[in-house]
Every structure is written in C-alpha cells, then in structure tokens.
Amino acid sequence: MSLKVGSKLGPYTISAMLGAGGMGEVYRAFDERLGRDVAIKILTEEASADRDLQRRFAFEARAASALNHPNILTVHDVGMEGNIPYIVSELVDGESLRNVINRGPIPVQKVLDIAVQVASGLAAAHHAGIVHRDLKPANLMLTKAGFAKILDFGLAKTVKSNTDTAAGPKTETTSPGWVLGTATYMSPEQVRGEALDHR
C-alpha cells in the first residue's frame, strides 16, 4: 500500500518514504495548514485488515499523545483517509540508535547521556501508567542536537498509574499470557507472559 510522493492524507502531502516494518510504513510529509514537515505512520495493507492491529495502532496514538516529554516522540494528529488510518508526529532530524551502534563503539559519556535521557522519558511514561514493552535501539532516535526520542508505543500496555490518568489511554492491547515484543530485548517477566510494571 506504499503511498506515492505528492499524494495526500487529509491536509498532509507525502514527500518521501522514511522506512517500513512488518506492520507499518513511515513517511515524511508536509502539513499544509501549519507549514511544517511531519512524519506520518500508516498501517500496511495486510495490517489494516486485522482488527487487533487496528486497535493496537489506535492505542499507540493515544498512549504517545497522552505523554508530554522531550524524550518521547510528540504525536500531533491522527486521522483516516479512505481505509488508511494514520498517525502524525514530529519529524525527528536524526537517526536510530541501531544505526549509530552499527557504525561501531559509542563513547562512554555519550552512552550515559543517552541512557539518562531514555530513563527520563520512560519514567514519564511509567508515571502515566504506560509500559512501552518494545524498547530497543530501533525504537530510539537520536537527533542531530543530541536528544534521545522514544518511538513506537504500538505494543504499550497500561498498568496501575501513580497519578490520575482519566484522560489517558485505557484500552488493554493483549490478553493475559500473550507474549508480544522483541525477544532479545524482553525482561524475563515479559517472555513468560507475566504481569509487567515499570521495573
């Protein structure tokens, strides 16, 4: 279902494909209303036909938009164009931590700086009662200015919060005992399908 350059999703004009995965595709687009570049994530054609994946996609938008933190990708908008659901977020000027790691060793000071920023973003999510469940280098972006951004809350789960999250996401996205995530980055509890919390 790849979108063509120049095609439109609502008020957004597609300008380039940024990446694709098993469930979705991400594009660079131009927001005609506000005159800025944004990133747009859509479900693949196969994923769009799966109701569970549609629910998870909608939950991702709600979970990320409920969080306001400099180390979490900012969601600007959601929409539907025909049968294509989409999430509009800030366009991060940088690259994934996975790409940085693939180039070779990272200086210790930079590793510590990245770790502190990611921990700060995760603490904000956990405080709002959201556990990411798929944190890995591919889901972390590093901006040219040196900021770390947590992406892809598609497998996130709500847990008991430290605060009132009445406005936050409430939908559970998996059944008890189901295992979702990337095996090499899971905690033992997640691998065993047990209850998860911020730890």
Side-chain angles (χ1 to χ4, degrees), residues 1 13 22 48 52 80 91 100 108 125 152 176 179:
M1 178 195 295
T13 303
S48 292
D52 181 55
M80 179 79 80
L91 181 66
V100 174
V108 172
D152 200 347
V179 178

Side-chain angles (χ1 to χ4, degrees), residues 19-85:
M23 201 172 92
E25 298 170 349
V26 180
Y27 295 86
R28 182 185 188 111
F30 186 71
D31 182 342
E32 305 287 348
R33 297 169 302 180
L34 297 177
R36 65 180 174 186
D37 288 316
V38 295
I40 294 186
K41 182 176 182 179
I42 67 168
L43 286 175
T44 62
E45 193 167 358
E46 298 78 23
S48 292
D50 185 317
R51 288 193 184 276
D52 181 55
L53 293 179
Q54 286 178 5
R55 280 193 300 273
R56 195 171 297 141
F57 191 73
F59 181 84
E60 175 182 357
R62 287 193 304 274
S65 68
L67 303 169
N68 181 15
H69 192 277
N71 299 118
I72 296 174
L73 185 76
T74 302
V75 170
H76 296 312
D77 193 10
V78 294
M80 179 79 80
E81 184 72 23
N83 63 345
I84 304 173

Side-chain angles (χ1 to χ4, degrees), residues 124-166:
H126 297 160
H127 192 70
I130 298 170
V131 176
H132 190 284
R133 293 200 301 180
D134 198 24
L135 194 69
K136 57 187 177 182
N139 285 338
L140 297 171
M141 289 286 287
L142 302 179
T143 72
K144 290 181 179 176
F147 290 101
K149 296 273 189 179
I150 301 170
L151 318 177
D152 200 347
F153 280 78
L155 297 184
K157 186 174 182 78
T158 54
V159 294
K160 186 177 178 185
S161 171
N162 295 330
T163 61
D164 178 16
T165 57

